[in-house]
Amino acid sequence: MIKQLLSKNRVYFDNNATTKVTPKVRSVMNQVLKSYWGNPSSGYAKGKMSAQIIEKAREQVATAIGAHSHEVYFSSCATESNNALLKTVSNIFYPEKNKIISTPIEHPSVMSTLEYISKLGIEVQYCPVDKSGRVLLKDLEDMIDDKTFLVCCMLANNEIGTIQDVKKITKLAKVKNALVFSDCVQALGKIPINVKELGVDYATFSAHKLYGPKGVGAWYSRISSPLESYIHGGHQEEGMRAGTESIHNIAGFGEACKQVKKLISNTSKNTFLKKHFIDELKVIKSDIIINSPMDNCLTNTINLTFPGITSGELMRALDYQGIAVSAGSACSSSSNKPSHVLKAIGLTDKEAQESIRISFGNDTKYKHIKYTLKVLKQYLEEKKREETGTVIKLKSQELRL
Ligand code: PLP
């Protein structure tokens, strides 16, 4: 157990990294662990009961994304789903077709997989984005050619929150017979998703971004879209992903998906909190740079540059007062490299290293915003005093929520 030396206050502003499992999800998972431990592949009643739990969850995930249940496959996480789809679809088309077009702001699980498959001979091109992180559609249209078998573009960005016009991207791709794959991990539970309306061939999801458990993801593969086995072994997941299923995690994912509509109805609250937070921040620090676009952006996500303050320094100062924020994607937070997303939208290395991401959750309240603003104000004032060389002994006052 890590000894809790820090502030008693707790503000969790890193919901794009992961979310807290809800009591209802937890209770469903506990029930499954207790009563449905049979192997879903076994032919007797105990196994069949477990298989039924999985199929119920598959229906729940399918309903949340507007798919048919036989188009949903479970995996261990979205990183696995992204790997599975990019590698197997490439395998199906290469060498007859050899080109994938993606964007420079994809999650590391997509970027690294693309880098890997490019070494196998696939040509990967990155369509530029504008200052908001939006794909330049004219450029994309020009880039897709007869050799392109896949366009890969996330629906909502994890670092800055930009929502892409995937529907339009799909239309451009279809004209040239290219398939479309969209990482929808950050979008599920934050904006309405209907994979049929988006027109995508493949999409990926992760339970732990919407108050479900870690260790379970899913992918959508349209019934007519090519797919081949990724993990070889048993016949689980229609033979596409062998391995005995994590029944309790899958059930937890299904339960979390039942809340999707309710979660989305929260976005108007977050819109208000986000606007208030940004307005007040501009008063506290007039040179602050807001990297998240104001329109077509996740209402829970704000990416900010604090000129002159490194993200590590700011994160530590906030953590000391009980506020959890992050610098970019949790998957690359230990790399210390400037964020590829922020660089793609035009920030310098220095600016990118002075940026933090704040991501509100379902339970974020006005008092959390108010407290964070108070902490930031005090921190910036102290820093200014230090910089101007004035030695002032601050009374160690405990800030309260
Ligand atoms: N894609 C996006 C956009 C993400 O934000 C994340 C997680 O941060 C992932 C993929 C990977 O998800 P998982 O943690 O389930 O592997």
Side-chain angles (χ1 to χ4, degrees):
M1 228 16 191
I2 299 171
K3 204 172 167 197
Q4 193 67 56
L5 294 170
L6 312 179
S7 166
K8 289 194 282 300
N9 298 321
R10 289 282 124 205
V11 176
Y12 184 69
F13 277 167
D14 201 14
N15 287 276
N16 285 8
T18 198
T19 54
K20 185 176 167 183
V21 173
T22 63
K24 185 74 190 109
V25 167
R26 224 165 38 222
S27 128
V28 166
M29 290 175 69
N30 283 337
Q31 188 57 41
V32 170
L33 281 168
K34 189 172 162 205
S35 311
Y36 298 91
W37 46 265
N39 189 321
S41 298
S42 300
Y44 42 80
K46 189 87 196 146
K48 285 182 181 161
M49 278 158 68
S50 296
Q52 274 172 13
I53 296 285
I54 294 175
E55 292 323 305
K56 183 176 162 201
R58 204 183 304 281
E59 284 284 351
Q60 288 164 329
V61 175
T63 303
I65 63 168
H68 299 298
S69 59
H70 50 269
E71 296 171 310
V72 172
Y73 299 81
F74 288 113
S75 66
S76 70
C77 59
T79 296
E80 183 194 319
S81 298
N82 287 343
N83 270 264
L85 287 173
L86 289 169
K87 289 175 185 171
T88 57
V89 175
S90 297
N91 204 30
I92 292 167
F93 283 94
Y94 185 76
E96 280 72 34
K97 290 193 174 198
N98 69 345
K99 192 162 136 188
I100 296 180
I101 300 172
S102 190
T103 84
I105 62 165
E106 300 296 310
H107 184 265
S109 57
V110 168
M111 298 300 278
S112 305
T113 309
L114 290 175
E115 199 185 318
Y116 170 78
I117 54 181
S118 72
K119 288 185 190 137
L120 306 179
I122 308 270
E123 185 185 351
V124 181
Q125 290 184 354
Y126 297 92
C127 178
V129 293
D130 65 15
K131 278 184 86 67
S132 304
R134 215 121 17 224
V135 168
L136 298 175
L137 294 172
K138 184 72 189 80
D139 289 38
L140 180 69
E141 189 174 12
D142 294 343
M143 287 167 85
I144 309 173
D145 60 17
D146 291 349
K147 285 284 178 190
T148 309
F149 61 91
L150 189 69
V151 175
C152 165
C153 176
M154 71 203 316
L155 182 53
N157 184 269
N158 48 306
E159 291 191 39
I160 54 176
T162 306
I163 299 167
Q164 302 289 350
D165 194 343
V166 169
K167 216 169 167 175
K168 256 196 195 142
I169 290 171
T170 305
K171 275 194 186 137
L172 295 178
K174 296 289 155 183
V175 171
K176 304 214 182 145
N177 279 326
L179 300 170
V180 177
F181 161 49
S182 186
D183 173 338
C184 296
V185 169
Q186 289 295 342
L188 187 58
K190 299 188 184 107
I191 56 171
I193 295 184
N194 184 310
V195 285
K196 302 291 173 193
E197 280 173 17
L198 290 174
V200 295
D201 296 278
Y202 311 103
T204 51
F205 306 93
S206 183
H208 75 99
K209 307 290 181 178
L210 65 147
Y211 309 91
K214 281 162 263 297
V216 57
W219 78 74
Y220 158 79
S221 174
R222 199 154 67 107
I223 191 74
S224 54
S225 303
L227 190 65
E228 67 176 30
S229 180
Y230 166 60
I231 295 181
H232 305 274
H235 56 269
Q236 294 92 348
E237 298 302 297
E238 301 294 328
M240 293 298 146
R241 199 262 184 193
T244 305
E245 300 89 336
S246 179
I247 316 161
H248 59 295
N249 276 336
I250 290 172
F253 194 178
E255 185 62 33
C257 280
K258 276 170 70 184
Q259 298 303 312
V260 155
K261 274 202 183 122
K262 200 169 154 215
L263 290 173
I264 293 170
S265 70
N266 241 328
T267 52
S268 54
K269 176 207 74 178
N270 277 342
T271 306
F272 165 77
L273 293 178
K274 182 173 173 176
K275 185 176 177 325
H276 175 74
F277 189 60
I278 291 175
D279 288 348
E280 291 297 313
L281 270 177
K282 285 180 180 164
V283 176
I284 296 173
K285 187 158 170 64
S286 57
D287 61 349
I288 200 158
I289 303 164
I290 317 294
N291 301 313
S292 301
M294 295 314 287
D295 301 321
N296 291 326
C297 183
L298 297 177
T299 59
N300 80 318
T301 309
I302 316 171
N303 195 296
L304 305 156
T305 304
F306 286 76
I309 307 170
T310 65
S311 46
E313 181 188 345
L314 190 52
M315 276 168 62
R316 278 191 296 278
L318 291 174
D319 191 28
Y320 189 74
Q321 297 289 357
I323 303 163
V325 303
S326 76
S329 157
C331 290
S332 49
S333 60
S334 57
S335 75
N336 269 338
K337 274 198 194 149
S339 148
H340 67 285
V341 175
L342 297 180
K343 287 188 72 176
I345 62 167
L347 271 69
T348 62
D349 280 10
K350 184 171 178 294
E351 285 168 336
Q353 279 163 331
E354 293 172 342
S355 302
I356 60 163
R357 175 187 71 184
I358 284 176
S359 46
F360 300 156
N362 194 29
D363 56 359
T364 300
K365 297 193 171 53
Y366 179 69
K367 66 175 183 180
H368 301 128
I369 307 285
K370 209 171 137 200
Y371 171 69
T372 305
L373 287 165
K374 203 156 107 180
V375 169
L376 274 169
K377 189 165 184 280
Q378 176 169 335
Y379 170 74
L380 293 168
E381 282 170 2
E382 279 179 28
K383 198 167 163 61
K384 208 170 183 176
R385 281 192 206 102
E386 274 172 23
E387 279 166 7
T388 51
T390 322
V391 182
I392 292 181
K393 283 209 171 139
L394 279 174
K395 276 188 210 146
S396 64
Q397 64 184 91
E398 172 85 348
L399 293 171
R400 296 213 178 277
L401 266 176

